[in-house]
Amino acid sequence: MTIEIALVLAILVAAMVLFVTGWLRMDLTALLVLAALAVLGLVTPGQALSGFSSPAVITVAGMFVISAGLARTGVAGILGRQVLRMAGHGEARLLVVIMVTAGVLSSVMNNIGVAAMMLPVVMDIARRTHRPPSRLLLPLALACLMGGLLTLVGTPPNILVSDALEMQGFQPFGLFDFTPIALVILGAGIAFVVLVGRHLLPERDPRREAGASGDRDLVESYDLHERVFSIRLPDRTLLEGKTLAESRLGSALGLHVLAIQRPAGAELAPGPEAVLRGGDRLIVQGRPDLLVALRGERHLELETEDRVERNLVSAEIGIAEVRIPKESPLVGRTLNQTDLRRRTGAVVLAILRDSRLSRTNLEDTPLDAGDALLLQGPHDRFDALDGTPEFGTVRRLSLEEALRTYRLEERFFALRITHESLLSGRSLRDSRLGDAAGLTVLGIRRNDQTLLIPGPEEVLRPDDLLLVKARPETLLVLRGLQKLEIEEEGDLLLDELESEKVGLLEVVLSPRTKLVGSTPRKIGFRDKYGLSVLAIWRAGEVHRTNLRDMPLQFGDSLLVFGARRRLKFLAGDPDFLILTESMQEAPRTELAPLSVVVLVGVLFPVLMGWIPIAIGVLIGATLMVLTRCVTAQEAYRAIEWPAVVLIAGMLPLGIAMDQTGAARMLAEGMVEGAGEFGPRAVLAGLCVMTAIGAQMIPSIALVVVMAPIALTTAADLGISPHTLMMGVALSAASLSSPVAHPANVLVMGPGGYRYMDYVKLGAPLTVLVLIIVVWLLPVLLPFHP
């Protein structure tokens, strides 16, 4: 083994580890692979960047746009709905029609797009036939994956192996070369699901027991009746005249106010600006235990501490002022979005904009160029921040200068933790004093020692003296919350929430969302959409509390509540996919015939061999935009850029494996191990390796690695490379893992699936596909043509 082979294999192993563990995004991993190969001299700079001009990359990106054009003009939706109307009510017949429709559409459209388009249609069918969605959605996803094998353009692995053949001087695959064996795979897969697989599908949707529909259906699905109750404000309350936002019912107690009832009538889905009055009855959703614990006891006592602000500096901790530069990446972002305290170790005490001074509730204030930020933090961190693009010049201030300029003494208080306080024994993070109570804890005095800028894991103890920054009225609000009275609980309250103007809606993150990893609070969900997130369904479990700070994951189902006009506004947001077909944004059906003409006009010359497939797809994508079947903005958003970068970044690894001899070494190992049993055994070995890898890492990256091994193995055996290359592409379908393909993840939340549900159905289906490929492929595409 040469040093070059060892380096290539080390890069390969490192990339596989990163793909499997998910420590880095897959596109970043691919770019690191590209950079490592170029820096180590394993490929030339031109070869390192050649992936970005590869026909495979152009074809994959172009097909995303063409698929979006067909979806936005309603072609796929019209076809899908018409076919599904013939499905009837029998489960077996439903599965056949759903899987055939999804498979056929996936042959000419991106399979993720087909799954996203058909998801609300199938959900509506499940509601109409009173079936759990879990009986239909996983077969939908599997059909999309198997249907993508039908044509050259149906899935990126097909395109990649064809491109690899052409780069080595072989005849590339034609548009329908995959169709004969892929039809057998799709047909056998559908038969397996209908006859055997459907008995392995779970039934854990409460809709079936409820036999209900509409909003009530969603209430049952998410078990909202367990967490809905009413509270009464005393006639004389400290919350009188406060808005819902100011009352901190949501942040302090984790309650969603669904309605405000008064003798004059009810206000459903009140916004944060709704004003509370004494005697109001609030219908809320959440956990009552925190409210029960809060009532009756004094958890914090206001101390008459003299000059609290004098305790905010020490030998290690100081105060400084920064002005946000015009080019700072902080401009337009809030403190919550920038995660400033965790990154810098500093606390923002105040913001001065022009002559307007803000000292409390700073977390959700968008920063502007020229804003002066008053910071409390370690001196060494100020040194590190000085001169950075984010903060510019850091100016140290004396405590007296800070007090004089920012009038800090008006906002500082000392609060004592009582012995009966529910805060005792909780960490600062769990106490939620910051988000919930609007208090910024700047220090803790304990046993004659002062801990400044305590970390979120610091545990509070009885008699702790908290040095806090807050508005005086915030302390009154907390006292007002202690006087709330819990009234009735149960189902009857939910009946009072149904209205023509207010309702519930179930949504999932779209395949191309930018919100993964963000929390509802960071994206300003309530302010942006005017809706409340009542529950999140993730991996078969319902979460109904502490949702504001729960990072969103692809595959989550969100139950939102609010005005129906606001729900329709959410339906037009590309970050979300609506699971109710009637609420979706209307397609441009008048352009449907034109989009079909574009598709046919692209595929026909490719089929006839007049133009390369990459050029044809590029022309088709351009025509989709020129004819307004899809706007330019929609076209760019439709492209799975991480997938494109993944292909472009990993292709140089295939070149390096070929040039250094790493592919030959691995191929010789394959031939030595299975070659004596004949080419079919070698094909079986390659297919099994690919199938196992496809359940753990992106199929695109896997095929890029396997392609040079298959080509070299074919050369060593003296057989046609087309058979092995097609076998690798067909085996790369990720049928038994929920994380290896976005189509599988997309149905996880709406179907309430768990990891093992995919394994139970997908593992035997993967074995079936492997048997078909190993047995039938050499018959249809002989080793020795």
Side-chain angles (χ1 to χ4, degrees):
M1 180 188 297
T2 65
I3 184 65
E4 289 81 7
I5 292 178
L7 288 173
V8 169
L9 293 180
I11 292 173
L12 172 61
V13 171
M16 295 301 107
V17 170
L18 291 175
F19 283 135
V20 171
T21 60
W23 290 338
L24 284 180
R25 287 167 49 114
M26 62 179 186
D27 48 347
L28 289 180
T29 299
L31 291 176
L32 286 176
V33 168
L34 182 155
L37 292 171
V39 169
L40 294 174
L42 299 172
V43 294
T44 66
Q47 290 171 330
L49 300 176
S50 63
F52 291 97
S53 61
S54 165
V57 170
I58 302 300
T59 304
V60 170
M63 283 307 301
F64 281 126
V65 177
I66 292 175
S67 297
L70 294 172
R72 287 299 298 124
T73 56
V75 172
I78 293 170
L79 175 61
R81 282 189 294 273
Q82 293 300 323
V83 173
L84 290 174
R85 283 197 182 101
M86 303 183 296
H89 291 271
E91 185 175 79
R93 186 175 175 184
L94 268 174
L95 288 173
V96 169
V97 173
I98 288 172
M99 295 186 74
V100 168
T101 304
V104 171
L105 290 175
S106 296
S107 67
V108 292
M109 291 179 63
N110 173 257
N111 45 27
I112 305 172
V114 173
M117 179 205 67
M118 289 194 64
L119 180 56
V121 179
V122 175
M123 288 292 291
D124 280 348
I125 290 176
R127 294 187 189 104
R128 252 191 345 261
T129 59
H130 303 302
R131 276 189 173 79
S134 61
R135 304 291 297 175
L136 305 176
L137 292 182
L138 187 51
L140 166 66
L142 295 175
C144 290
L145 296 179
M146 292 186 291
L149 304 175
L150 286 170
T151 64
L152 177 62
V153 297
T155 185
N158 291 6
I159 298 170
L160 286 169
V161 296
S162 180
D163 185 60
L165 284 169
E166 189 171 17
M167 289 181 63
Q168 294 297 321
F170 296 100
Q171 179 70 27
F173 288 119
L175 186 61
F176 294 109
D177 283 355
F178 287 85
T179 304
I181 189 167
L183 277 175
V184 176
I185 291 174
L186 180 61
I190 293 173
F192 171 79
V193 171
V194 172
L195 298 177
V196 179
R198 67 189 177 104
H199 302 295
L200 305 175
L201 292 167
E203 289 190 46
R204 57 174 71 103
D205 184 359
R207 292 184 180 102
R208 189 164 188 176
E209 290 84 22
S213 61
D215 290 353
R216 188 70 181 183
D217 192 10
L218 293 173
V219 166
E220 295 290 340
S221 298
Y222 285 84
D223 291 332
L224 288 187
H225 57 277
E226 295 183 0
R227 297 288 172 84
V228 174
F229 58 98
S230 65
I231 56 179
R232 176 80 65 178
L233 273 65
D235 292 333
R236 299 183 63 181
T237 175
L238 294 172
L239 300 179
E240 175 80 32
K242 301 292 184 185
T243 65
L244 280 179
E246 293 169 340
S247 75
R248 298 191 173 272
L249 278 164
S251 56
L253 301 178
L255 302 178
H256 296 285
V257 179
L258 308 180
I260 301 175
Q261 292 187 327
R262 296 179 179 133
E267 180 181 356
L268 301 180
E273 71 286 347
V275 178
L276 297 174
R277 303 296 181 201
D280 282 350
R281 177 176 180 254
L282 310 181
I283 299 179
V284 298
Q285 182 261 339
R287 294 178 58 179
D289 51 349
L290 188 56
L291 178 57
V292 171
L294 184 67
R295 294 180 68 239
E297 302 287 351
R298 294 186 67 84
H299 304 280
L300 292 169
E301 290 184 347
L302 183 62
E303 294 278 328
T304 56
E305 178 79 7
D306 184 41
R307 305 300 301 271
V308 175
E309 63 276 5
R310 297 293 178 183
N311 298 289
L312 300 181
V313 295
S314 67
E316 296 81 21
I317 303 296
I319 293 179
E321 180 187 69
V322 299
R323 287 198 176 271
I324 303 298
K326 185 176 181 180
E327 298 80 14
S328 171
L330 301 178
V331 173
R333 305 179 67 193
T334 67
L335 295 180
N336 273 328
Q337 291 171 337
T338 59
D339 204 9
L340 204 61
R341 180 165 181 172
R342 183 189 64 80
R343 292 192 302 110
T344 66
V347 178
V348 179
L349 299 178
I351 299 176
L352 181 62
R353 179 176 299 169
D354 298 326
S355 59
R356 184 160 55 88
L357 179 62
S358 301
R359 290 161 296 183
T360 52
N361 299 325
L362 306 177
E363 291 78 9
D364 297 316
T365 301
L367 300 176
D368 200 0
D371 283 352
L373 273 59
L374 185 68
L375 306 177
Q376 176 201 25
H379 293 294
D380 58 342
R381 300 305 294 269
F382 288 157
D383 293 335
L385 296 177
D386 193 17
T388 61
E390 282 186 307
F391 298 99
T393 302
V394 177
R395 187 169 75 92
R396 309 298 179 92
L397 297 183
S398 66
L399 182 59
E400 289 71 20
E401 186 178 0
L403 293 174
R404 184 172 61 253
T405 305
Y406 290 89
R407 305 196 302 276
L408 296 179
E409 66 277 2
E410 300 174 6
R411 291 289 186 268
F412 286 110
F413 301 91
L415 298 175
R416 179 80 64 182
I417 302 288
T418 65
H419 283 270
E420 63 272 13
S421 174
L422 61 82
L423 301 176
S424 180
R426 296 192 180 193
S427 67
L428 275 176
R429 175 184 286 114
D430 294 338
S431 73
R432 305 175 66 203
L433 282 170
D435 179 40
L439 308 177
T440 302
V441 180
L442 304 175
I444 300 176
R445 184 179 294 175
R446 180 185 297 155
N447 299 328
D448 296 327
Q449 294 184 342
T450 301
L451 173 64
L452 294 180
I453 315 183
E457 303 303 327
E458 184 66 31
V459 176
L460 300 176
R461 303 174 186 174
D463 284 330
D464 277 356
L465 190 67
L466 308 184
L467 311 177
V468 304
K469 178 169 65 75
R471 296 171 63 92
E473 49 266 39
T474 298
L475 303 179
L476 296 177
V477 167
L478 292 179
R479 290 176 59 189
L481 292 177
Q482 290 184 285
K483 303 297 183 182
L484 297 177
E485 301 171 0
I486 297 178
E487 293 191 336
E488 62 182 304
E489 304 182 35
D491 270 354
L492 293 178
L493 295 174
L494 295 170
D495 297 332
E496 303 176 35
L497 302 179
E498 297 187 12
S499 163
E500 292 183 359
K501 296 183 178 180
V502 174
L504 296 163
L505 186 66
E506 191 177 19
V507 302
V508 295
L509 297 183
S510 72
R512 297 169 187 88
T513 183
K514 299 177 182 178
L515 302 181
V516 172
S518 298
T519 65
R521 184 160 73 107
K522 281 190 176 181
I523 63 178
F525 190 91
R526 180 70 184 267
D527 295 333
K528 182 176 181 180
Y529 301 107
L531 302 169
S532 297
V533 180
L534 301 186
I536 296 177
W537 193 307
R538 174 179 298 169
E541 296 183 6
V542 180
H543 302 267
R544 293 179 293 264
T545 55
N546 300 325
L547 304 181
R548 286 160 50 90
D549 294 309
M550 179 180 288
L552 299 177
Q553 297 179 7
F554 186 48
D556 286 349
S557 286
L558 281 66
L559 183 66
V560 298
F561 173 76
R564 296 193 186 276
R565 60 183 178 83
R566 292 282 190 173
L567 297 176
K568 290 185 177 180
F569 172 71
L570 182 65
D573 192 302
D575 282 312
F576 295 98
L577 180 63
I578 308 303
L579 298 187
T580 303
E581 189 181 9
S582 59
M583 291 290 292
Q584 287 190 310
E585 187 179 8
R588 307 180 185 107
T589 52
E590 70 279 3
L591 296 176
L594 190 56
S595 66
V596 174
V597 170
V598 171
L599 178 65
V600 174
V602 167
L603 296 184
F604 182 74
V606 171
L607 179 62
M608 299 302 294
W610 297 341
I611 57 175
I613 188 169
I615 300 300
V617 169
L618 183 62
I619 293 172
T622 305
L623 289 176
M624 283 291 186
V625 176
L626 289 177
T627 56
R628 304 295 296 174
C629 292
V630 62
T631 67
Q633 183 180 7
E634 290 169 341
Y636 280 113
R637 191 175 181 95
I639 298 173
E640 286 260 2
W641 292 108
V644 171
V645 174
L646 175 63
I647 297 172
M650 291 299 292
L651 282 175
L653 180 59
I655 296 174
M657 291 179 65
D658 182 49
Q659 291 183 166
T660 61
R664 175 164 296 280
M665 188 185 76
L666 296 174
E668 288 173 353
M670 175 66 68
V671 172
E672 186 177 334
E676 61 180 296
F677 300 103
R680 196 185 292 268
V682 174
L683 173 63
L686 285 171
C687 290
V688 170
M689 288 174 55
T690 305
I692 293 173
Q695 314 312 317
M696 298 180 288
I697 65 176
S699 59
I700 293 172
L702 183 65
V703 169
V704 170
V705 172
M706 295 300 296
I709 299 175
L711 286 169
T712 307
T713 301
D716 289 348
L717 293 175
I719 61 175
S720 169
H722 292 80
T723 309
L724 298 186
M725 294 291 272
M726 185 175 288
V728 167
L730 295 172
S731 304
S734 309
L735 301 177
S736 60
S737 170
V739 296
H741 198 281
N744 288 342
V745 183
L746 186 64
V747 301
M748 178 178 259
Y753 295 117
R754 300 188 177 99
Y755 188 93
M756 285 306 299
D757 295 326
Y758 291 83
V759 176
K760 288 177 184 177
L761 183 58
L765 186 57
T766 300
V767 173
L768 177 63
V769 171
L770 290 175
I771 292 172
I772 293 172
V773 171
V774 174
W775 170 70
L776 186 59
L777 183 57
V779 177
L780 299 176
L781 196 63
F783 292 115
H784 301 284

